[in-house]
Amino acid sequence: MSTQWTPTPRELADLELVSVQAWPPDEPFRVALPEGVTGEVELLDPEGVPLALYDPARGVVTTLEISEFGAFRGLHVPPAEVRRDHPGAFVVPVSAPLTREDITAVVEHATTSGSAPVLLVLTGVGAPQGISAPALVRATLAAARDVPGATVVAASVAARETAEETATFASEVAGAYGDEVLTVIGEGALPAEVAAVVRKDRPPLDERGLVVFFTGLSGSGKSTLARALHDLLLERGDRTVTTLDGDVVRHHLSKGLGFSREDRETNIARIGWVAAEISRHHGVAICSPIAPFASTRALVRQMVTDAGGSFALIHVATPLQECERRDRKGLYARARAGEIPEFTGISSPYDEPDDALVRVDTTGRSISDALDDVLRSLRGAGMLS
């Protein structure tokens, strides 16, 4: 039986290009597999549906199924069909909303060449610039109304390591859809209809989804500040707000997890995933786990960024001595007695953040005074009105 493996989002986007025969012929296709995996591998989508068989030694892919789901799936047309239905068309890779200047350049090229344009929207992870992939398709459909004879097609082109590599790769993929590729520069003002799509997808910073992520030692005041911020936002009434407290989450979302490093990272990743989804829908998520490891905090930040939300890391930097003095639950005493293994600050490390929006020491301060530090920072960053 073949080993089964779910590729990363970028690799899944690449796999779709291979499956529809849009993958550049000179570009090797690779999937990063766990160490020690050899032989044929069955590649699955995140829901466990087999998509392809992959021979890592030869880089050969045998397609089993092409996904039928996803926004604007009907626009993900194989290159062969585009060439058949639009012979002689030139292809315009679209990774950002088309400006008035872009539209003018496409129309002028169509007029002088006598060819119709195919607007190829790049929807793979990381490729759309400053906008979500579905919104980029909507914006391109809006722009196409001003381009006579234009056809809109989508392709799962994902970002490469650099902007230059992404542009080159996109141009190579576009070459599968037509013999001529026209690149637009993305400068100038947006047409009104396109601007409206962008505005709805990426509203002003203080209206976007927001994750306020408090991190610090046990007893530092994270949960207290999180609850105070939650109450304040509820009183304002202009945002939907959810709290994800570390202890509460462990009773529900992460019930059954222990306190090993692996389990703690899993717990934070789960909190991050839920928070990112809240931010995707323009809500506010307030999280207050200890989150001792920088790598996991960085993962959560990336999740939120990928969802289109803003991420504010708040380091509640109350010193260990003060946290132990407060120790209402007696956890530090038990940790020092060896009763609680891998306790952050005693027998397990805490990675001090170097990327926090603000650092707050709650020693000897009232809740409102400490909260003012947080509010000033959020307002200063434009995340709260």
Side-chain angles (χ1 to χ4, degrees), residues 217-238:
L217 298 175
S218 177
S220 61
K222 304 180 305 300
S223 296
T224 300
L225 286 175
R227 286 195 296 267
L229 178 60
H230 174 261
D231 292 347
L232 179 66
L233 294 180
L234 283 181
E235 290 169 7
R236 282 174 38 152
D238 59 342

Side-chain angles (χ1 to χ4, degrees), residues 253-329:
L253 185 65
S254 295
K255 190 173 184 177
L257 289 180
F259 290 89
S260 66
R261 175 163 186 150
E262 181 180 1
D263 280 0
R264 281 187 287 176
E265 288 184 326
T266 299
N267 179 49
I268 301 306
R270 290 179 180 178
I271 290 173
W273 185 85
V274 173
E277 288 304 301
I278 291 170
S279 75
R280 187 189 303 278
H281 300 287
H282 301 171
V284 177
I286 303 173
C287 312
S288 53
I290 292 174
F293 305 121
S295 58
T296 321
R297 296 194 299 261
L299 173 65
V300 174
R301 183 188 290 272
Q302 190 60 53
M303 288 180 183
V304 175
T305 300
D306 290 344
S310 299
F311 183 83
L313 183 65
I314 312 297
H315 180 202
V316 185
T318 307
L320 175 61
Q321 183 178 5
E322 175 65 15
C323 294
E324 284 198 74
R325 188 191 67 77
R326 297 175 180 176
D327 198 15
R328 291 183 301 173
K329 301 177 184 178

Side-chain angles (χ1 to χ4, degrees), residues 204-210 212 229 232-233 236 238-241 284 286 310 312 357 371 374-385:
L205 199 58
D206 61 356
E207 296 178 20
R208 292 185 196 175
L210 170 63
V212 184
L229 178 60
L232 179 66
L233 294 180
R236 282 174 38 152
D238 59 342
R239 304 295 297 270
T240 58
V241 57
V284 177
I286 303 173
S310 299
L357 179 66
L371 183 61
V374 176
L375 293 172
R376 276 194 298 270
S377 298
L378 292 173
R379 289 169 180 150
M383 295 176 182
L384 280 183
S385 59

Side-chain angles (χ1 to χ4, degrees), residues 3-341:
T3 300
Q4 294 184 321
W5 180 250
T6 299
T8 65
R10 169 175 154 172
E11 291 167 346
L12 286 170
D14 291 350
L15 179 61
E16 182 172 329
L17 293 178
V18 172
S19 299
V20 299
Q21 298 182 340
W23 184 258
D26 296 330
E27 184 83 13
F29 174 78
R30 293 285 184 267
V31 173
L33 299 171
E35 188 175 349
V37 172
T38 59
E40 191 173 63
V41 178
E42 189 175 48
L43 302 180
L44 312 177
D45 74 3
E47 295 181 356
V49 176
L51 298 176
L53 297 176
Y54 172 56
D55 182 343
R58 297 185 299 151
V60 174
V61 175
T62 302
T63 301
L64 300 176
E65 185 169 332
I66 299 175
S67 177
E68 298 178 354
F69 301 100
F72 296 106
R73 177 51 50 183
L75 295 181
H76 285 257
V77 182
E81 292 185 25
V82 174
R83 284 179 172 269
R84 181 197 66 202
D85 296 340
H86 307 281
F90 64 94
V91 183
V92 183
V94 179
S95 60
L98 293 171
T99 66
R100 289 195 179 100
E101 285 81 352
D102 293 336
I103 292 171
T104 298
V106 173
V107 171
E108 288 179 350
H109 189 80
T111 301
T112 57
S113 67
S115 303
V118 170
L119 306 180
L120 183 67
V121 188
L122 314 183
T123 61
V125 60
Q129 298 173 19
I131 193 171
S132 68
L136 181 57
V137 177
R138 290 196 297 272
T140 306
L141 289 169
R145 299 186 187 111
D146 294 328
V147 183
T151 299
V152 177
V153 175
S156 61
V157 175
R160 316 328 276 178
E161 299 304 321
T162 67
E164 292 76 13
E165 290 175 1
T166 300
T168 299
F169 180 70
S171 183
E172 292 173 350
V173 172
Y177 291 81
D179 293 333
E180 184 182 8
V181 177
L182 175 68
T183 302
V184 293
I185 59 176
E187 295 181 355
L190 299 176
E193 287 189 49
V194 175
V197 174
V198 174
R199 171 65 174 75
K200 187 170 183 178
D201 186 67
R202 291 290 187 269
L205 199 58
D206 61 356
E207 296 178 20
R208 292 185 196 175
L210 170 63
V211 174
V212 184
F213 196 95
F214 291 90
T215 176
L217 298 175
S218 177
S220 61
K222 304 180 305 300
S223 296
T224 300
L225 286 175
R227 286 195 296 267
L229 178 60
H230 174 261
D231 292 347
L232 179 66
L233 294 180
L234 283 181
E235 290 169 7
R236 282 174 38 152
D238 59 342
R239 304 295 297 270
T240 58
V241 57
T242 303
T243 55
L244 296 168
D245 178 77
D247 291 335
V248 175
V249 166
R250 278 189 171 273
H251 286 296
H252 301 283
L253 185 65
S254 295
K255 190 173 184 177
L257 289 180
F259 290 89
S260 66
R261 175 163 186 150
E262 181 180 1
D263 280 0
R264 281 187 287 176
E265 288 184 326
T266 299
N267 179 49
I268 301 306
R270 290 179 180 178
I271 290 173
W273 185 85
V274 173
E277 288 304 301
I278 291 170
S279 75
R280 187 189 303 278
H281 300 287
H282 301 171
V284 177
I286 303 173
C287 312
S288 53
I290 292 174
F293 305 121
S295 58
T296 321
R297 296 194 299 261
L299 173 65
V300 174
R301 183 188 290 272
Q302 190 60 53
M303 288 180 183
V304 175
T305 300
D306 290 344
S310 299
F311 183 83
L313 183 65
I314 312 297
H315 180 202
V316 185
T318 307
L320 175 61
Q321 183 178 5
E322 175 65 15
C323 294
E324 284 198 74
R325 188 191 67 77
R326 297 175 180 176
D327 198 15
R328 291 183 301 173
K329 301 177 184 178
L331 298 177
Y332 282 99
R334 292 176 58 197
R336 290 199 179 278
E339 298 176 14
I340 304 178

